[in-house]
Every structure is written in structure tokens, then in C-alpha cells.
């Protein structure tokens, strides 16, 4: 494999996790999809090999590594099982990053080491029936009563909900309109009044345990208030890193796998007395796919490196996420076409790659919303090439 400006240690991490994912996760990937079954046994393997909490300081049992290492690990897992990669990047992503970044010392002491050890799986919940792209329209309410907060409302599209133990939930805390009235709470799974609602099965990533969350007079200790109203920008700022290390490397891993499989297919399959790969028209398709994947990888690694060098940027995040999302749809779609009817058959992985890649353009900010962020930076003059 190429070096791509990675250090020797980073290459070692990449190659080791790749070998692990190929051996342990690939065999069950199709079944996790077909049976809508989160492969949580794979998370245990990742914990045992020390891949959780890579970004977490050592005092919480983590490895104190950078975003690049996180990206490399998620990409390699996704090459062999996208559902495992999504679960991993979710439970080991937004919530622990938020607690580490802006949580209280109590929250850090109570949760972080347990998350790294895999004792607590986590999810993060923002979306509601009337709050998708428009986060400021969150209606689930948390009202203070003495030493408690009482939560009422419901949430949608929560990845890993079916398997998680700890939820970071966006709630409306006061009457201030829009985002100014929104804050966040930490809710543990067995809290009375909190239930995991209907399982939500999307087109792809069917093994990510997505579900609704329902709060019916759910009482949590006031100490579980995570973020006061009016501080949402801080949370979104912390989660910016997660937008790089979660969603885009999953897309890249899926696209890489679709590409490799279809290259083998067109070299092997004979039509008109010669391999499909002997047709120049198809060779050019392969070249286009390789160009697209390489451009996406370069963007992603550059964005991760900039964060690790202390120069995070909204434009980097949004350009990377939107480009890598769209690349994965293009590449997996083309792989289906090159594989012919096999591309659409459940006996082969191509249709799953496409289904898994498709939703990534919607989750964690749609490509349209990311385009708007990029455009805002351009027009304001903050963006310079
Ligand atoms: C795979 C996956 C995983 C997810 N995981 C989670 C999770 O763990 N937790 C969670 O809280 N949510 C999760 N979501 C939900 C996700 O955050 C929302 O789907 C997303 O924010 C978009 O919201 P929406 O679906 O309500 O679409 P809408 O906001 O209704 O948007 C519909 C369409 O309109 C476009 N649009 C909306 N507003 C504008 C605008 N101002 N300008 C231009 N275009 C616009 C959108 O881009 C989109 O194409 C997940 C979704 C997916 C697909």
C-alpha cells in the first residue's frame, strides 16, 4: 500500500486494523445487513485490540492519538463491514468527543474510561420529526424541577440506539427561539420514562441499530444537564472533528471495496470471447473511479492532518464530507453497472455497497447543507484556497 505522507506508526495502525477487519469482520458483513443485526461482537474485538478511545487522553484509558489515526481505522473497518465501521465511529465518536471537549469534570470521570473500555456504548440524538437540517427547531423539552430535569418528546434516526447505553440528546431548555433555546442532556438507557421506540430500517446500513427515542416524563438528575441553552455552537464546534472521522472514512472504505471487487470481476468475466476489462470504455470507467477515490482520500487525509496540526476549518470539513459522500455514490453506482446483473443481486456485495453509501450523503449534515456552509465561507471572504 502507498505511504500517502503517513508516518510509519500510522501505516502500521492502518495495516493492522485492515488485517483484523478482513479476517474478523468481512465474513459476517452480508448477514449483518440481511438480518438487520448490529454486529456488536465486532465492537468487543475492537475494544480488545485497543482501537476504542484512540483520540482519548491516556488518563481515560485512551491512546492520545490524532484524528488521522481515527480516520485510518474507520476507513479500514468500512472496507470489510460498513455496519461495524458506523457503529464504531458512532459509539466511539460524537458523545465521547463532546464529553471530552466540553463536558464537566464529573461527566468525564463518570463516563469516559467506561466508554473506552467498551462498557458503555453511546449514541447521539438530534433529529426529530420537525428538526432535521433545521437543528434549531428541536421540540423535545427538558424542564427543570428541583434537582431533576423532566424530558418529554421524541427523536428520530438515532444510529446505534438499539445497542447504546448512554445518549447525548439535544433538547429545548428555554423559550428562546431557534438554536438559542437548545441545549443537551445525557440520558442513560435504563432511565424510567425513556424508551427505545420503533426500529428504523433505512435503505442501507441496516446493521446500525437505528431507532426512535421516546421520552415520556423522563426524569434525569439535574447533574446530567450537559450543555446549557445558548452554547450549541460549542457543541457543534467539538463535533466538527467527528464529521471528518465518522462519516467520510466509512464512505471511502465502502468505495474502495466496491472498486477492488469490480476490478477483479471485469478481469475475470469473459464476454465476446475476451475479459470485460479488455474494453477501453470499461477501462476508462475504472480509471475514473480510481481518480475519484484518490481525490477523496487526499481531501480526507488533508482535512484530518490539518485538525491534528491545530488548524481545523469548517470549509475543510464541509468540502471533505460533501465530496467523499458523492464520490462513494458515484463509485458504488458504477461498480453495480460494471458487474451487470450480478451488481444488483444480493449474492454479490455491490448492491449493499451502494445502499450503504447512499445514506451517508444525508446523515451528519446533508451534502446540500454542507454546500451552504462552504458557500457562506466563500461569500464572507473567510475562505482562501
Ligand atoms: C445514515 C444516517 C444516520 C443518521 N444518524 C443520525 C444520528 O445518529 N443522530 C441523529 O440525530 N440523526 C441522525 N440522522 C439524521 C440526519 O441527521 C438527518 O437525516 C439530516 O440532518 C437531514 O434531516 P432530514 O432527514 O430531516 O431532511 P430535511 O432537513 O427535511 O431535508 C430534506 C432535503 O432538503 C434539503 N434542505 C433542507 N434545508 C435546506 C436548505 N436550507 N438549503 C438547501 N437544502 C436544504 C436537504 O439537504 C435534503 O436534501 C441520520 C441520518 C442518516 C441517513
Amino acid at each position: 500500500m502507498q505511504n500517502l505522507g503517513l508516518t510509519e506508526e500510522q501505516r502500521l495502525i492502518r495495516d493492522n486494523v485492515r488485517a483484523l477487519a478482513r479476517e474478523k469482520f468481512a465474513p459476517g458483513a452480508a448477514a449483518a445487513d440481511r438480518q438487520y443485526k448490529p454486529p456488536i461482537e465486532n465492537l468487543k474485538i475492537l475494544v480488545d485490540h485497543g482501537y476504542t478511545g484512540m483520540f482519548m487522553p491516556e488518563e481515560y484509558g485512551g491512546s492520545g492519538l490524532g484524528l488521522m489515526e481515527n480516520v485510518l481505522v474507520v476507513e479500514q473497518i468500512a472496507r470489510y463491514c460498513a455496519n461495524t465501521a458506523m457503529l464504531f465511529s458512532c459509539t466511539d465518536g460524537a458523545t465521547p468527543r463532546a464529553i471530552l471537549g466540553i463536558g464537566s469534570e464529573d461527566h468525564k470521570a463518570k463516563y469516559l474510561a467506561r466508554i473506552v473500555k467498551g462498557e458503555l456504548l453511546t449514541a447521539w440524538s438530534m433529529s426529530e420529526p420537525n428538526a432535521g437540517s433545521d437543528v434549531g427547531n428541536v421540540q423535545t423539552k427538558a424542564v427543570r424541577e428541583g434537582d431533576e430535569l423532566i424530558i418529554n418528546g421524541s427523536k428520530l434516526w438515532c444510529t446505534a440506539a438499539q445497542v447504546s447505553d448512554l445518549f447525548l440528546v439535544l433538547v429545548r431548555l428555554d423559550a428562546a427561539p431557534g438554536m438559542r433555546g437548545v441545549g443537551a442532556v445525557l440520558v442513560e438507557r435504563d432511565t424510567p420514562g425513556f424508551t427505545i421506540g420503533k426500529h428504523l430500517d433505512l435503505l442501507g446500513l441496516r446493521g446500525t441499530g437505528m431507532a426512535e427515542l421516546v421520552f415520556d416524563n423522563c426524569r434525569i438528575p439535574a447533574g446530567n444537564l450537559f450543555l446549557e441553552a445558548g452554547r450549541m455552537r460549542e457543541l457543534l464546534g467539538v463535533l466538527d472533528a467527528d464529521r471528518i472521522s465518522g462519516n467520510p472514512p466509512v464512505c471511502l472504505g465502502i468505495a474502495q471495496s466496491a472498486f477492488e471487487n469490480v476490478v477483479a470481476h471485469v478481469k475475470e468475466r469473459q464476454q465476446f470471447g475476451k475479459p470485460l476489462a479488455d474494453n477501453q470504455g470499461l477501462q476508462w470507467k475504472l480509471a475514473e473511479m480510481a481518480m475519484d477515490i484518490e481525490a477523496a482520500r487526499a481531501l480526507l487525509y488533508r482535512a484530518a492532518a490539518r485538525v491534528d496540526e491545530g488548524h481545523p476549518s469548517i470549509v475543510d470539513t464541509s468540502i471533505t464530507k460533501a465530496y467523499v459522500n458523492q464520490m462513494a455514490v458515484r463509485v458504488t453506482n458504477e461498480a453495480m453497472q460494471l458487474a451487470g446483473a450480478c451488481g444488483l443481486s444480493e449474492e454479490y456485495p455491490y448492491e449493499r455497497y451502494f445502499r450503504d453509501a447512499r445514506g451517508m450523503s444525508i446523515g451528519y449534515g446533508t451534502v446540500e447543507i454542507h454546500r451552504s456552509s462552504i458557500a457562506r465561507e466563500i461569500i464572507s471572504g473567510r475562505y482562501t484556497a
Side-chain angles (χ1 to χ4, degrees), residues 126 132-133 243 247 321-322 325 359-370:
M126 172 207 83
S133 302
R243 287 179 209 270
N247 173 310
K321 185 188 179 284
N325 286 169
M360 303 302 267
S361 296
I362 294 173
Y364 235 152
T366 66
V367 290
E368 290 79 16
I369 293 298
H370 281 281

Side-chain angles (χ1 to χ4, degrees), residues 96-130:
R97 269 191 200 284
I99 296 175
L100 179 67
I102 54 172
S104 67
E105 288 310 313
D106 282 354
H107 292 153
K108 289 179 193 177
K110 188 170 179 192
Y111 295 123
L112 290 183
R114 294 180 64 201
I115 294 172
V116 175
K117 280 192 221 154
E119 291 170 8
L120 289 179
L121 301 184
T122 73
W124 106 285
S125 178
M126 172 207 83
S127 304
E128 296 183 1
N130 291 311

Side-chain angles (χ1 to χ4, degrees), residues 11 42-43 59 69 153 287 317 340 342:
R11 294 200 302 272
N42 293 346
L43 295 183
E59 61 179 302
E69 286 81 2
T317 306
C342 299

Side-chain angles (χ1 to χ4, degrees), residues 28-29 41 51 71 83 197 206 229 287-288 295 310 328 358 360 367:
E41 63 285 358
Y51 289 114
V71 162
N83 284 305
R206 295 167 169 176
E288 282 291 335
R358 186 62 189 83
M360 303 302 267
V367 290

Side-chain angles (χ1 to χ4, degrees), residues 8-80:
E8 199 178 328
E9 191 192 359
Q10 288 168 338
R11 294 200 302 272
L12 197 64
I13 290 171
R14 175 193 67 186
D15 297 347
N16 285 344
V17 75
R18 184 180 181 203
L20 181 76
R22 185 172 44 211
E23 184 197 336
K24 304 281 188 195
F25 307 157
D33 171 69
R34 244 178 256 143
Q35 297 164 12
Y36 296 84
K37 187 175 162 291
I40 47 172
E41 63 285 358
N42 293 346
L43 295 183
K44 166 98 176 63
I45 293 172
L46 289 163
V47 171
D48 291 345
H49 283 78
Y51 289 114
T52 42
M54 296 187 77
F55 58 87
M56 203 62 84
E58 287 173 15
E59 61 179 302
Y60 301 115
S63 316
L65 294 169
L67 198 62
M68 181 67 91
E69 286 81 2
N70 225 158
V71 162
L72 295 171
V73 166
V74 175
E75 177 191 348
Q76 297 306 320
I77 299 170
R79 267 169 101 143
Y80 299 99

Side-chain angles (χ1 to χ4, degrees), residues 102 124-128 135-142 149 151 155 167-187 220 224-236 239:
I102 54 172
W124 106 285
S125 178
M126 172 207 83
S127 304
E128 296 183 1
V135 184
N137 200 33
V138 159
Q139 299 298 324
T140 296
K141 276 201 180 68
L149 286 163
I151 313 172
K155 293 282 180 182
F167 297 76
L168 180 63
V169 183
L170 265 55
V171 288
R172 182 154 297 282
L173 285 165
D174 74 26
M179 198 85 103
R180 282 190 291 129
V182 177
V185 291
L186 284 165
V187 183
I220 58 168
N224 281 27
L225 175 62
F226 180 75
L227 194 73
E228 297 279 1
R231 292 179 55 201
M232 273 302 291
R233 296 255 163 256
E234 289 171 53
L235 179 58
L236 296 177
L239 293 184

Side-chain angles (χ1 to χ4, degrees), residues 340-352:
C342 299
L344 306 181
S345 161
E346 284 190 8
E347 299 295 312
Y348 295 81
Y350 304 104
E351 56 87 37
R352 172 163 49 89

